[in-house]
Amino acid sequence: MRAVIQRVLRSKVSVDGQVIGEIGKGYNVLLGVCNEDTREDADKLIRKLIGLRICEDENGKTNLSIQDTDGELLIISQFTLYADCRKGRRPSFTGAGSPEHAKALYEYVIGQCTPQVKKVAHGEFGAEMQVEIINDGPFTIVLDTADLA
């Protein structure tokens, strides 16, 4: 499982010109799933995401988590995080999880984050989405469960 986490002042996602998810200060999370990913991988990623201390304290130091700051999450499915660009110029996406598997884990992540964070908004799995992000910093972290302890 892979996630690109961007600390944002605000972010929103639209489908067909309609805003379907919107947050204020918090994290915009692009989430990719592969077929080998499990709920255990998702739990590992969620623990890291929720506990990650990348929010600023009163001294401007990154000492606080999203829970510490009552931050919000916007979680968007992003199969292109599994793009393989090693050969040629057109990426291969065969490493991405099947739609059924990826959707189930994507929804699981949303469901597990919801009771832990002030607000959790999300995109629409499989839809053509437009994402607007106002970065804070900018501050961007990439997590891969294969690399997490």
Side-chain angles (χ1 to χ4, degrees):
M1 193 168 277
R2 293 181 181 153
V4 175
I5 302 159
Q6 295 177 298
R7 194 177 68 190
V8 299
L9 296 174
R10 65 182 177 275
S11 184
K12 65 182 173 180
V13 59
S14 302
V15 174
D16 296 327
Q18 299 292 327
V19 175
I20 62 168
E22 187 170 15
I23 63 166
K25 196 166 184 148
Y27 304 160
N28 186 92
V29 180
L30 304 176
L31 182 68
V33 176
C34 74
N35 279 326
E36 292 75 33
D37 287 327
T38 65
R39 283 189 172 196
E40 290 76 24
D41 293 313
D43 290 336
K44 187 183 340 179
L45 183 93
I46 293 163
R47 278 192 303 277
K48 185 63 80 169
L49 171 66
I50 300 299
L52 205 57
R53 297 185 326 164
I54 62 172
C55 298
E56 293 181 352
D57 63 16
E58 65 279 356
N59 298 314
K61 303 289 185 191
T62 52
N63 284 324
L64 303 175
S65 72
I66 195 161
Q67 287 177 318
D68 297 331
T69 60
D70 282 333
E72 303 174 351
L73 291 176
L74 176 57
I75 303 173
I76 300 168
S77 63
Q78 187 71 55
F79 79 94
T80 61
L81 292 178
Y82 278 93
D84 182 349
C85 299
R86 292 177 290 183
K87 295 181 183 175
R89 295 179 296 178
R90 176 178 283 179
S92 169
F93 299 104
T94 58
S98 70
E100 299 79 22
H101 179 68
K103 183 177 183 182
L105 281 178
Y106 170 67
E107 291 174 350
Y108 177 78
V109 168
I110 292 167
Q112 294 300 111
C113 288
T114 298
Q116 300 183 62
V117 178
K118 175 183 172 182
K119 176 181 179 182
V120 177
H122 56 85
E124 181 180 324
F125 186 89
E128 183 74 25
M129 295 175 276
Q130 293 73 46
V131 182
E132 294 180 44
I133 300 168
I134 305 297
N135 280 308
D136 183 15
F139 204 112
T140 303
I141 301 286
V142 178
L143 298 178
D144 190 318
T145 53
D147 300 328
L148 298 177

